[in-house]
Amino acid sequence: MTAFFAFIGMLCLCLSMTRHQRDVLGRLLSTRLSSGLRGAGWVVLFLSFGVALPDGVLAILRWIGELSFAALAVVATCAILPSWRRWAGRR
Amino acid sequence: MKDGFRQTMALAHSWAGLFPGWLLYAVFLTGSLTYYRQEISQWMRPELSGAAVDPQAPLHAVERLRQIGADARLWRIDLPDARNPVTEILWKGKEGGFRSDLLDPRTGEALRARQTMGGDFLFYFHFDLNAPGRIGRWLICFAAIAMLVAIISGIITHRRIFADFFTFRPRKGQRSWLDAHNVAGVVALPFYLMISFTGLVTLTSMFMPWAIQRAYHGDMAAYARDLAGRGIAPVVLHARPMASPPLSSETVDHVVKRAEGLWRGGRAGRILVDDPASGHATVTVERRDSDGISYDLPWLRFEGDGRLVARHDGGGPAVTTQGWLYGLHLARFSGAGLRFLFFLSGLLGTAMMATGLILWVVKRRPKDVARARPTAAERTNVAVIAGLPIAIASLLLANRLLPFGLPGRMAWEASAFFLAWIAALVNALWMTPARAWIWQGRWLGLLCLAAPVPQLFVPGSGLFAWIGSGDMVRASVDMALVATGLLALGITTLMKARRSVARA
Amino acid sequence: MALVKQAAPGRKAVLNRIAAALGGGYAVAALAASTLAVMLPGPAIEAAVTAHLLAYLLFVLVALAVFVPRRGATAWAIVLLPCAVFLLAGWLGSRG
């Protein structure tokens, strides 16, 4: 569960940046939407921490690891998505 | 001022990063595998498939020790657990000298398995490098300091560390390698900071012994005793009795169960019996290291008649902190999920080092690639980045191919590891790096795919038999080998295709 | 602030910093560990462990700091100053 939240949070943070909006979505989002995404991203990440916290130190260690690989998953997704879009656009 | 710092640091990181990079690549790769060293050890002793944990293990172990080590001065029993389902016994003879054996936890019978270091070979290599004396450990410690400096200065000087956090631009040559190095480096930052600092803590008695030397006037043994809580007057709960009857296995079993009760469900990991033959035997039960994060293990000591005489529940603040740091590095406490996350983080660190090394070479490639002479750095990169995995795969294959009763078998397995690595080095020196990468990628793939094969010819053993009998540990190692082999061959084929396109 | 862009440091300069960072840093850490082990209060085991854990932190701090100054000589000052401080503290402690 926390891993999923971590992924969503990281995705929001990623898409709040214009550089990635261009590459992944093909267009820029409004500044309001970007700021909103950034805020939402941080909130979701804190929520995922909050879910892990009651389960103790081991859960927090797991949370840190899940954060790292959520970020990696977002990087991978953003790297592949433009190619998928191009491939879908050509069909 | 920050500009000068940034420039000098950047130069130190890039220019001087080559040698520590090779070193740390080896440390991270073998270190990542060490998270699964018990599993690898099980795989390397296929004869023991079917061994299982048993609550009667202490009873059987003591029975066995009474048969073969009745007059010993010290008995040590390492109890089995899910990741290592064998009982290991050790006894110290009257004249000194240790002997050890592996037992089936359910019967106490000695297990006959091929002589091998198992996963412990990779464990030792990752902090020792099998170098002469302590050179390996000293180099690794300095490399760890360099890594901490590189990470922290990287955080300070990386101008757009948040903006660049998710940036990865594929298929852009040098740019892509830089992005990969940055992503790998930043995404698991907390892990890298933790693992390098805690690694230093584990090697303190060699690298930074001066505090101990000064406080204990050079008496390292006294330090070790104090650290385990055996030196400071332990809480003595009863005066020692005159003499008790000789130690029986039932007493030891009873004592272990009492200890686990006193720890409210905590598990016993190791049993130490002092002077078992005398009438003054004491039994010390140490708590299992996977029960808690800290390596400062609680213990309980009982007299031969079963009465509790001393206990250690943890040291003072500094000892507890060190226990936590040490424990974090070994990660014995981690369950399957967390262990896998640690393992992946280690692999990411390995990738960070590898991409950095490749970036170093790519940055310095002259414009006219076709006519350029390959540098020593390029060749060493192949020998290290591809060579080490080849050496590891060769170790595993040698474990399968070397005869069961071969004398000096452990040394032969180690030789296979080093000879394979030397062969990779020779190949890297002889061929151009471009061709060497492809050759070694293919060799790695073939070795990994070959390793599970020999056991298939042993009845009741091998990948399919293990899946059938539920031995998922050994099956998983086999499957990991197959996956790695296919991945290596796949990447190599992609590399070859891209090179042919480039040349056309 | 410098009005002229600083030239990139040469290899010898970088080697000098690395020597100060690793060699000098080690010296500071070793002296710190040794001195703190006897100066810190409490049982020997607590003092010793606190001392070498702090020494490691100091090692990394000094190794980082050594790269900050513009001149290489100043980098060595960053090493020698803490060494002198610990030596002095140790000497004063043994006399008092």
Side-chain angles (χ1 to χ4, degrees):
Chain A
M1 190 85 286
T2 45
F4 178 68
F5 277 137
F7 179 74
I8 298 294
M10 286 289 178
L11 191 62
C12 290
L13 286 178
C14 174
L15 291 177
S16 73
M17 296 183 217
T18 54
R19 174 190 308 179
H20 301 295
Q21 287 165 7
R22 235 179 270 126
D23 290 333
V24 178
L25 304 170
R27 59 192 173 88
L28 291 179
L29 301 171
S30 71
T31 26
R32 253 187 34 185
L33 195 50
S34 296
S35 317
L37 271 175
R38 183 169 309 142
W42 283 112
V43 165
V44 171
L45 287 183
F46 273 113
L47 274 178
S48 68
F49 177 67
V51 169
L53 190 56
D55 291 330
V57 183
L58 289 183
I60 294 178
L61 287 176
R62 206 173 305 133
W63 175 77
I64 296 174
E66 285 166 350
L67 268 191
S68 299
F69 289 97
L72 195 63
V74 167
V75 172
T77 313
C78 292
I80 300 177
L81 266 178
S83 324
W84 280 1
R85 274 183 46 245
R86 254 180 274 127
W87 179 77
R90 242 184 264 128
R91 288 183 84 231
Chain B
M1 181 181 88
K2 216 177 182 198
D3 251 344
F5 176 80
R6 193 177 274 129
Q7 274 187 319
T8 321
M9 192 55 80
L11 206 63
H13 180 129
S14 61
W15 174 64
L18 199 61
F19 187 72
W22 289 324
L23 199 68
L24 290 170
Y25 172 84
V27 171
F28 266 92
L29 183 55
T30 49
S32 304
L33 291 170
T34 302
Y35 279 122
Y36 289 110
R37 71 175 165 111
Q38 280 92 340
E39 284 79 359
I40 295 175
S41 291
Q42 282 198 57
W43 185 90
M44 289 174 87
R45 295 193 186 104
E47 303 82 12
L48 303 189
S49 183
V53 188
D54 190 296
Q56 305 276 53
L59 202 82
H60 297 308
V62 174
E63 283 300 331
R64 182 96 187 134
L65 279 164
R66 283 177 63 191
Q67 286 169 24
I68 52 182
D71 58 346
R73 293 212 324 252
L74 170 73
W75 288 348
R76 193 178 92 185
I77 304 167
D78 284 339
L79 293 174
D81 65 19
R83 297 184 63 224
N84 190 24
V86 294
T87 310
E88 188 167 345
I89 56 171
L90 190 140
W91 62 104
K92 186 174 181 181
K94 282 228 130 58
E95 318 79 37
F98 290 89
R99 292 186 55 202
S100 67
D101 209 356
L102 295 174
L103 308 180
D104 187 329
R106 294 163 300 185
T107 61
E109 290 299 310
L111 288 169
R112 286 287 152 255
R114 63 192 64 188
Q115 264 223 328
T116 174
M117 275 184 81
D120 287 4
F121 177 87
L122 296 170
F123 171 41
Y124 285 123
F125 184 85
H126 119 270
F127 67 80
D128 187 73
L129 302 178
N130 286 67
R134 301 274 184 83
I135 294 178
R137 302 180 202 198
W138 276 93
L139 285 174
I140 288 175
C141 285
F142 277 112
I145 297 281
M147 184 170 161
L148 282 165
V149 170
I151 293 176
I152 298 172
S153 67
I155 299 173
I156 298 174
T157 63
H158 193 142
R159 260 175 272 241
R160 299 173 313 232
I161 195 167
F162 282 116
D164 287 348
F165 193 78
F166 297 101
T167 303
F168 176 64
R169 293 157 290 196
R171 280 188 286 273
K172 288 221 166 82
Q174 181 179 324
R175 189 102 273 178
S176 302
W177 287 112
L178 177 61
D179 284 348
H181 184 64
N182 287 339
V183 167
V186 170
V187 141
L189 246 172
F191 172 78
Y192 301 144
L193 285 170
M194 182 274 289
I195 209 74
S196 41
F197 189 76
T198 57
L200 283 168
V201 171
T202 62
L203 286 170
T204 311
S205 53
M206 180 209 75
F207 190 57
M208 197 61 57
W210 315 112
I212 305 167
Q213 293 281 341
R214 198 76 190 282
Y216 284 89
H217 309 287
D219 188 354
M220 294 299 284
Y223 166 75
R225 277 197 303 273
D226 275 1
L227 198 61
R230 287 196 284 270
I232 303 176
V235 181
V236 178
L237 298 163
H238 299 280
R240 300 197 76 180
M242 285 308 295
S244 28
L247 198 65
S248 73
S249 50
E250 285 77 24
T251 312
V252 174
D253 192 54
H254 165 75
V255 143
V256 167
K257 291 193 169 48
R258 259 201 81 196
E260 293 183 338
L262 284 166
W263 285 323
R264 267 179 269 276
R267 291 166 302 172
R270 176 175 285 182
I271 306 168
L272 294 151
V273 185
D274 280 296
D275 278 329
S278 73
H280 298 285
T282 59
V283 182
T284 308
V285 185
E286 259 181 30
R287 191 153 177 180
R288 181 161 302 168
D289 54 20
S290 51
D291 260 12
I293 294 185
S294 173
Y295 207 57
D296 181 20
L297 300 173
W299 53 259
L300 296 159
R301 181 170 299 142
F302 301 85
E303 276 294 322
D305 57 0
R307 296 198 296 169
L308 183 66
V309 290
R311 64 186 299 163
H312 171 72
D313 296 301
V319 171
T320 304
T321 306
Q322 181 166 273
W324 269 66
L325 292 170
Y326 205 112
L328 271 175
H329 193 92
L330 300 181
R332 298 244 170 96
F333 55 83
S334 41
L338 190 52
R339 186 170 293 272
F340 189 58
L341 284 172
F342 275 126
F343 172 68
L344 284 184
S345 301
L347 286 185
L348 208 57
T350 315
M352 168 179 64
M353 298 296 167
T355 50
L357 290 166
I358 294 175
L359 180 64
W360 196 99
V361 151
V362 166
K363 252 173 110 171
R364 284 161 186 75
R365 224 174 249 167
K367 296 287 182 271
D368 189 4
V369 179
R371 215 170 300 169
R373 272 186 76 234
T375 58
E378 271 191 283
R379 295 184 187 275
T380 315
N381 268 3
V382 187
V384 171
I385 298 176
L388 179 56
I390 287 176
I392 297 172
S394 305
L395 170 76
L396 297 178
L397 187 60
N399 169 268
R400 287 299 189 247
L401 297 178
L402 289 170
F404 183 96
L406 183 69
R409 207 178 171 284
M410 282 192 207
W412 279 108
E413 280 186 358
S415 301
F417 177 87
F418 290 109
L419 286 173
W421 207 350
I422 291 173
L425 178 64
V426 168
N427 172 264
L429 291 173
W430 180 40
M431 285 185 174
T432 63
R435 291 182 61 219
W437 277 114
I438 305 222
W439 263 68
Q440 295 199 20
R442 291 215 178 108
W443 261 112
L444 177 62
L446 291 173
L447 284 168
C448 287
L449 290 174
V453 171
Q455 210 58 26
L456 293 170
F457 294 100
V458 176
S461 197
L463 176 57
F464 306 108
W466 288 332
I467 295 178
S469 66
D471 189 345
M472 288 321 291
V473 168
R474 291 182 175 85
S476 304
V477 176
D478 261 357
M479 291 192 280
L481 278 166
V482 171
T484 310
L486 292 174
L487 193 66
L489 289 177
I491 294 178
T492 312
T493 314
L494 266 171
M495 276 202 298
K496 185 115 202 277
R498 197 167 292 169
R499 199 146 290 140
S500 321
V501 168
R503 231 182 278 134
Chain C
M1 285 272 82
L3 295 170
V4 177
K5 189 159 192 252
Q6 212 188 351
R11 283 199 188 159
K12 272 224 295 255
V14 173
L15 268 175
N16 181 43
R17 300 297 176 120
I18 293 175
L22 295 180
Y26 188 88
V28 172
L31 273 174
S34 183
T35 314
L36 288 172
V38 292
M39 275 178 59
L40 289 171
I45 186 70
E46 285 289 299
V49 172
T50 312
H52 64 229
L53 289 179
L54 285 177
Y56 273 141
L57 289 174
L58 212 61
F59 196 155
V60 177
L61 225 67
V62 167
L64 273 166
V66 139
F67 284 90
V68 172
R70 201 166 296 165
R71 294 176 57 227
T74 325
W76 283 101
I78 292 182
V79 165
L80 293 170
L81 196 61
C83 284
V85 167
F86 282 114
L87 282 170
L88 188 63
W91 179 68
L92 287 174
S94 66
R95 285 190 66 210

